[in-house]
């Protein structure tokens, strides 16, 4: 079964498996003990740290192992903020960081700190100038800036070197969450703290990395012990640490050739999906991106059903659509980018992926999307791009005066979940005269993102939101 | 090589190894995902929780997995204290808890909370009456009480049921650190929170348990995510969790017979060590104790050298002596018990231990202790118990007036590390008249514990401490 969700968790690398097995026998004792088994465990731990530090590009004594990438982020942000508490309590992050960073930011706000969240462009990329401005702003002085090396949902690479240079100029430490990019190579120089997660590169779960450059003020928070230089409490997850380091070295050795190979496969998906499936938006930067990851959104499709049908066809992918999450809100990344969230599919290829796997995926996808659309009663599919050939159709309410203030038609989509409000809108857009406004009443949060995104895709004009007794009225003018 | 330090970390149980291997293939995906690999991981996680909950004696939805026993303790204490912040900020612990509890208590004090630390008797056992008094005291109302189920250094079982009943009467939740006892059986009913650590029972590193009874107010602290019911952030350490649960069930199935077998071996050590090695104090409760653990201290012996020599003889044990730790302070447990810390040896037998292993240990121990003592120039060994046959010897300073206020002799042991101050004292005790006082000047912290302990063992009178220009003067009257 082709597994296309490496960005969630990569299948174990064969080297990880081997190393784990070996270390199970040799590395179960306490590395703090003086007897033979303890010394052996210490040797394994030291060697793993050396290997991981080399891959990260830091000194071994700058790197500690944490129980997960999430904890590395939490501990890194808390320690860096506490280390510079006297300077100020400002934290700058991008709007498209991993939720671990957002949760740490929320905890900081709760504790009385200030958080500045910087937007991104439509490709998901931050602007170095925005960081520059945030660091120079008045108010609470900035203690720490955070930026991911590449986005986990759309694959866009961030301008880390530029942002690092800006941070250095302002003497503000920069924490780089390198969870998605570390398997592919070192992060550009200039970071102060770096975090990563082993199960993202085919290492085992239970291992994160936290590197803190010498000279960066760092005050570890919470109850601590003598483990990991006092920066990560609790008995070391040793066999897994050994496997994590060994597999990181292994994936790095293969990284260049795998990146070439997977980039070609991804390029194929980027090109062919919009050819094969009508009404699709491929999102993320087309060039400055991770080699193995591509994300697209399908109009008039409910993400959960799409994932379910792909799973039935034996393809494992993930989605940032609201209907696939327990919170019923679309991915904060897609929202920050302002792109369509409905029918969202993230394909992230693990190292074993073949061209045949991708071809099979491209063979089944169009039929699956079409069948989901058919079940939902979506409008007949057409190629992406502004409508041109559509006639005025049956002008429902055409007798009414058409002004910006009085919608020619109101679509009641209250209680209907994504993608139904958009489908209802698409069904009637041709029924009003050009220049007339349709008001879509909806209470699904995804509509706020998807109705404007639909307008952009279909060449219609999004007028804006209006208050309504229930839900929100989204006004769209037929172009 | 016989490994006698199971209380630090137990060698992996064969079932843990098998389960880990199986789960590596089946349990590497994200259990929060909807596709097949994710559902499979979720099933494994749910099954592991069910198994662990059964062993603990709680509902599966009361139990979460944490990255280690230490983190379970830290998260458990922080969450319970925060959950009852409105009631008060008092925390009651025993003086012999694991350092994870002590570190959490320190963090609580730093954050403005109050900590009451309760002493233990000479066997290391707490008094339920002390808990009762602490809960009824004035001042900051008690938010949480903590008590280990059994001590990790001396094996003494604590009166958990009695303390739990007292806590219930005062409506104070009780957190039981069951790290050492959980492999042997469920903790007595009445606890509100319970913590444990998988590598203590032969499970893998990287897995702790935190159980919180329904109805206990609990507010998880720090940045959190949706993992583990919002009580333990970060991607689940899944293959290890599966192995932890499977091995816990396996050790429980063997627990009764193994306890019988190991208890007999430990009983042999308890009886024979004092017969084979002069000047030894076996510590901990002789009956109410863990089946596999025994601790003794050898007078006139430096713990680090002893461990080193035992390691050369291929025996891995641990020690609470100050000279084996980086902090140069003796174990807080031995200190709280008021027993000898020098030459301290903890033997904790893993399940594979044979009678032959123990016999070999008992065969090499006396020679090793004797050789360490010889190198240190310790007094000629004798059986434990008060001196009776010793004559007055050369009465150095015998002409001086012998009063409690003027020592007949001062021994300068400044700058000398444990066990040298005690050895110096032992060398000269017979040189002063009966009733005369010797003052031992020492600046090694261990002397505060070991000189009184030596007096108890040798039947001499410890008069007390006196201020000195450098270090402390310990006064001992020859009996």
């Amino acid at each position: 079964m082709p597994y296309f969700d490496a960005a969630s968790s990569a299948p174990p690398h064969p080297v990880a498996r081997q190393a784990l097995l070996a270390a199970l026998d040799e590395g179960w004792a306490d590395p703090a003990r003086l007897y033979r088994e303890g010394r052996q465990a210490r040797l394994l731990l030291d060697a793993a740290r050396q290997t991981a530090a080399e891959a990260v590009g830091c000194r071994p004594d700058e790197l500690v192992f944490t129980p997960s990438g999430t904890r590395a982020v939490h501990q890194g942000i808390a320690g860096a903020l506490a280390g510079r508490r006297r300077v100020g309590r400002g934290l700058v992050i991008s709007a498209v960081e991993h939720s671990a960073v957002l949760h740490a930011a929320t905890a900081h706000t709760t504790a009385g700190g200030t958080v500045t969240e910087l937007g991104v462009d439509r490709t998901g990329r931050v602007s170095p100038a925005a960081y520059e401005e945030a660091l120079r702003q008045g108010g609470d002085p900035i203690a720490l800036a955070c930026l991911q090396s590449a986005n986990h949902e759309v694959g866009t690479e961030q301008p880390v070197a530029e942002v690092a240079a800006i941070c250095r100029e302002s003497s503000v430490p920069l924490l780089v969450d390198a969870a998605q990019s570390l398997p592919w190579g070192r992060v550009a120089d200039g970071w102060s703290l770096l975090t990563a997660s082993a199960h993202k590169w085919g290492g085992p779960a239970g291992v994160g990395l936290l590197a803190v450059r010498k000279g960066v003020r760092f005050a570890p928070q919470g109850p601590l012990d003598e483990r990991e230089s006092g920066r990560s409490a609790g008995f070391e997850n040793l066999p897994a640490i050994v496997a994590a380091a060994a597999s990181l070295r292994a994936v790095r050795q293969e990284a260049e050739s795998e990146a070439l190979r997977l980039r070609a496969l991804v390029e194929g998906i980027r090109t062919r999906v919009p050819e094969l499936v009508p009404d699709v938006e491929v999102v993320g930067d087309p060039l400055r991106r991770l080699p193995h990851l591509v994300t697209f959104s399908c109009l008039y499709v409910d993400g959960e059903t799409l994932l379910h049908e792909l799973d039935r066809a034996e393809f494992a992918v993930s989605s940032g659509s609201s209907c696939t999450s327990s919170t019923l809100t679309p991915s904060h990344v897609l929202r920050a980018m302002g792109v369509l969230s409905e029918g969202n599919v993230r394909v992230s290829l693990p190292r074993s992926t073949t061209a045949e796997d991708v071809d099979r995926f491209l063979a089944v996808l169009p039929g699956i999307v079409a069948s989901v659309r058919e079940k939902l009663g979506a409008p007949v599919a057409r190629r992406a791009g502004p409508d041109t050939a559509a006639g005025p159709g049956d002008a429902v309410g055409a007798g009414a005066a058409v002004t910006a203030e009085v919608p020619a038609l109101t679509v009641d989509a209250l209680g209907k979940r994504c993608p139904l409000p958009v489908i209802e809108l698409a069904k009637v857009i041709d029924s009003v005269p050009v220049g007339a406004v349709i008001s879509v009443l909806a209470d699904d949060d995804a509509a706020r993102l998807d109705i404007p995104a639909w307008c952009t895709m279909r060449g219609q004009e999004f007028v804006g939101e209006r208050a309504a007794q229930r839900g929100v009225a989204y006004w769209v003018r037929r172009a």
Side-chain angles (χ1 to χ4, degrees), chain A:
Chain A
M1 171 164 179
Y3 174 82
F4 286 174
D5 199 18
S8 281
S9 190
H13 192 282
V15 164
R17 199 188 157 85
Q18 286 162 22
L20 189 66
L21 287 186
L24 264 186
D25 294 330
E26 306 285 321
W28 49 267
D30 183 347
R33 296 290 173 181
L34 303 174
Y35 42 72
R36 200 185 62 171
E37 291 85 348
R39 295 192 306 267
Q40 207 167 37
R42 169 64 54 189
L43 286 176
L44 288 176
L45 181 58
D46 289 348
R49 197 183 313 279
Q50 177 81 42
T51 301
E54 210 165 291
V56 166
C58 67
R59 291 164 40 167
D61 61 353
E62 293 175 328
L63 184 133
V64 300
F65 296 105
T66 67
S68 63
T70 294
R71 301 267 181 151
V73 165
H74 293 173
Q75 295 170 204
I77 291 180
L81 286 171
R84 286 176 41 95
R85 194 171 285 152
R86 285 186 196 171
V87 176
R89 301 205 66 190
L91 170 66
V92 176
I93 63 173
S94 88
V96 295
E97 297 298 318
H98 187 270
S99 58
V101 173
L102 302 186
H103 293 144
T106 304
H108 183 56
T109 311
T110 308
T114 316
V115 175
T116 308
E117 196 176 293
L118 304 178
V120 294
D121 64 19
R122 218 179 146 78
T123 71
R125 195 172 161 94
V126 304
S127 137
Y131 272 83
E132 194 158 20
E133 201 189 315
L135 297 191
R136 286 183 183 163
Q137 82 197 346
D140 206 346
I142 304 303
L144 176 70
C146 296
L147 178 61
Q148 62 194 188
S149 53
N151 185 268
H152 52 296
E153 287 195 35
V154 299
T156 299
E157 286 175 347
Q158 302 294 359
V160 169
E162 292 94 314
V163 171
I166 287 162
C167 287
R168 176 164 299 179
E169 209 152 292
S170 300
S171 300
V172 169
L174 175 68
L175 182 147
V176 174
D177 170 15
Q180 289 297 335
S181 78
L182 198 68
W184 301 107
R186 286 189 184 175
V187 172
D189 273 350
W191 51 267
S192 307
L193 301 100
L194 182 145
T195 59
S197 171
H199 76 103
K200 303 286 190 191
W201 67 67
V207 182
L209 305 183
L210 170 60
V212 183
R213 289 280 190 210
K214 287 283 155 199
V216 172
R217 281 190 214 154
F218 193 77
Q221 295 302 289
L224 291 161
D225 56 24
E226 77 289 357
R227 309 269 170 191
E228 294 298 290
S229 314
R231 290 184 174 174
S232 194
F235 192 80
E236 293 90 348
N237 188 9
L238 194 48
I241 286 173
V242 171
S247 54
L248 179 54
R249 179 164 53 193
V251 299
R252 276 295 187 75
Q253 282 164 352
E254 305 160 351
E256 208 175 333
S257 59
E258 272 298 279
L260 263 178
R261 214 175 63 77
L262 296 183
R263 197 175 280 276
L265 296 180
V266 161
E267 200 50 52
I269 298 174
R270 291 185 68 90
T271 312
R272 290 173 62 198
V273 164
E275 293 168 3
L276 296 167
V277 183
D279 296 332
V280 158
E281 183 177 14
V282 177
V283 300
D285 194 292
L287 296 172
R288 292 171 296 189
R289 59 177 169 78
L290 292 169
H292 68 306
L293 195 156
V294 51
T295 301
F296 55 86
S297 298
C298 307
L299 261 184
Y300 317 136
V301 167
D302 137 35
E304 184 166 3
T305 308
L306 183 55
L307 256 55
H308 180 67
E309 293 300 325
L310 282 169
D311 176 53
R312 281 185 49 176
E314 308 214 318
F315 288 94
V317 299
S318 80
S319 170
S321 292
S322 61
C323 40
T324 58
S325 75
S326 53
T327 56
L328 289 178
T329 55
S331 136
H332 68 276
V333 172
L334 301 178
R335 183 191 291 269
M337 293 165 65
V339 296
L340 187 72
S341 82
E342 66 185 37
N344 181 262
V345 171
R346 177 184 71 182
V347 171
S348 52
L349 307 177
R351 54 186 280 288
S352 53
T353 310
T354 64
E356 290 67 40
D357 291 337
V358 171
D359 287 344
R360 279 219 297 130
F361 176 73
L362 293 172
V364 303
L365 182 69
I368 287 176
V369 172
S371 81
V372 174
R373 284 175 174 163
E374 198 186 333
K375 273 182 217 155
L376 289 168
V380 175
R382 31 183 151 180
R383 299 288 149 192
D387 294 325
T388 48
D394 298 322
V396 176
V402 177
T403 75
E405 302 308 316
V406 184
L409 181 69
T410 292
V411 174
D412 181 356
L414 289 168
K416 292 186 178 166
R417 294 267 154 241
C418 153
L420 294 176
V422 173
I423 290 178
E424 298 297 315
L425 166 62
K427 276 182 181 167
V428 299
I429 188 76
D430 290 346
S431 66
V432 300
V434 171
V437 165
I438 296 180
S439 169
V440 184
L441 274 174
D443 50 11
D444 181 357
D445 207 28
R448 176 164 288 132
L449 190 54
D450 290 342
I451 291 178
W454 177 88
C455 291
T456 306
M457 289 176 74
R458 311 314 283 112
Q460 306 294 348
E461 183 196 341
F462 181 66
V463 178
E465 289 182 26
R466 297 290 181 271
Q469 271 196 306
R470 280 182 58 207
V472 175
Y474 299 94
W475 283 21
V476 173
R477 189 191 316 277
R478 185 176 170 201

